[in-house]
């Protein structure tokens, strides 16, 4: 990912271990990361597995729908 340090995406990648973030404009670091991943298929596979698990636990349609439902009912209850 390319996003500013400490952004939501950066923290998500760090906490889940499913990817690597590079700050915008840091071309050398991006090139280094690409070279590293190109030579470490096991790491790429592991990050992919972690990304799939993250998706299944946090970003499926059902999960999103449940979150919106809780939010809406919470607002209605507070009225």
């Amino acid at each position: 990912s390319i996003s500013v340090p400490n952004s939501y995406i950066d923290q998500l990648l760090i906490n889940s271990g499913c990817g690597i973030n590079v700050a915008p404009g840091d071309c050398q670091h991006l090139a280094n990361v690409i070279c590293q991943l190109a030579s470490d298929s096991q790491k790429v596979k592991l990050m992919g597995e972690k990304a799939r698990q993250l998706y299944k636990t946090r970003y499926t349609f059902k999960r999103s729908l449940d979150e919106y439902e809780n939010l809406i009912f919470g607002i209605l209850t507070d009225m």
Side-chain angles (χ1 to χ4, degrees), residues 65-79:
L65 189 60
D66 290 344
E67 290 291 325
Y68 280 117
E69 187 177 272
N70 290 337
L71 177 66
I72 291 170
F73 285 127
I75 291 170
L76 293 176
T77 302
D78 290 341
M79 295 178 104

Side-chain angles (χ1 to χ4, degrees), residues 26-39:
D26 193 349
C27 302
Q28 187 59 53
H29 185 218
L30 178 60
N32 292 342
V33 167
I34 291 170
C35 288
Q36 176 192 20
L37 294 177
S39 65

Side-chain angles (χ1 to χ4, degrees), residues 21-71:
N21 187 56
V22 176
D26 193 349
C27 302
Q28 187 59 53
H29 185 218
L30 178 60
N32 292 342
V33 167
I34 291 170
C35 288
Q36 176 192 20
L37 294 177
S39 65
D40 192 347
S41 61
Q42 193 63 23
K43 183 173 184 171
V44 173
K45 181 180 178 184
L46 182 59
M47 286 191 308
E49 290 167 356
K50 289 180 178 183
R52 179 70 179 159
Q53 186 60 37
L54 178 66
Y55 167 76
K56 287 170 59 177
T57 59
R58 291 184 62 184
Y59 298 106
T60 62
F61 179 76
K62 170 87 170 89
R63 171 99 170 133
S64 297
L65 189 60
D66 290 344
E67 290 291 325
Y68 280 117
E69 187 177 272
N70 290 337
L71 177 66

